[in-house]
Amino acid sequence: MPYITAADGAQIHYRDWGTGQPVVFSHGWPLSGNAWDTEMKLVADNGFRAIAHDRRGHGLSEQTWSGNDMDTYAADLAALIETLDLHDVILVGHSTGGGEVVRYAARHGAGRVSKIVTAGAVPPVMVQSESNPEGLPIDVFDGIRAGVLADRSQFYQDLSAAFFGTNREGSTISQGARDEFWRQGMLVGLKAAYDCVKAFSETDFTEDLKALTVPMLVAHGDDDQIVPIADAAEKTVTLVPTATLKVYPGAPHGIAGPYQEAFDADLLAFIRS
């Protein structure tokens, strides 16, 4: 299996499909690079090189005790891109991965990144504060941490309903999709799963977003119950002059079903443009 070595020696697993301009995918919490399988095949089938890594502590990557923070995640992504000597890179990030690619592009990606795509991404910042009164209260994230510690297997099963919107009338998302969410979640080390909650909820990406100058597609479902669109995508596009907002009516946080079909078509059109 292919691995690269991060700056602190951590082993980061990745998959590399196809040839052509590289499209690098970053996954959400508590998933792995496998969450992007459909999109990886799509872009590889259409003449691009698709690469997805498992964030440290997730999937098949090393379960490190330290480094479960956004700065290190971005540095790990930099190590992947530099080790593979990738240029003219298109970054694609979902949820936590959206924050990861934004921080990477702002702090490490000069001269390497050509486009950015985010979907249901966490920037600018999720947690409520005096400067971000529209954010979610810290109690929400404390509850996630408590659920992870108490019984993460049941917690991930329950969370999958809001993640995919199966608690909404008319949802067509399968039990199999929810089971796959649980399966990937159970591969995450407990320390990484716990620490990553702080990383995705409390990291402020405002200055990172302001530093972006490449074309950016900001995709978001308007029924996202995990990362509300009003405090995320709608703010992001006001900070990035090169960004275009694409709203998917009724779509949830998880990329599946009709949302996935529409997003994949837009993704392919954007990376080809």
Side-chain angles (χ1 to χ4, degrees), residues 23-29 31-36 40 51-55 70 73-74 76-78 80-81 90-102 104 117-119 121 255:
V23 183
V24 178
F25 294 87
S26 291
H27 62 82
W29 179 94
L31 304 174
S32 70
N34 293 108
W36 285 116
M40 287 186 67
I51 300 165
H53 68 297
D54 298 340
R55 189 168 298 117
M70 199 57 67
Y73 296 159
D76 290 348
L77 181 55
L80 173 71
I81 289 172
I90 300 169
L91 299 172
V92 184
H94 174 241
S95 194
T96 301
E100 181 179 280
V101 301
V102 163
Y104 164 79
V117 180
T118 61
I255 303 173

Side-chain angles (χ1 to χ4, degrees), residues 13-24:
H13 175 261
Y14 71 96
R15 288 169 303 135
D16 189 347
W17 298 353
T19 58
Q21 184 179 5
V23 183
V24 178

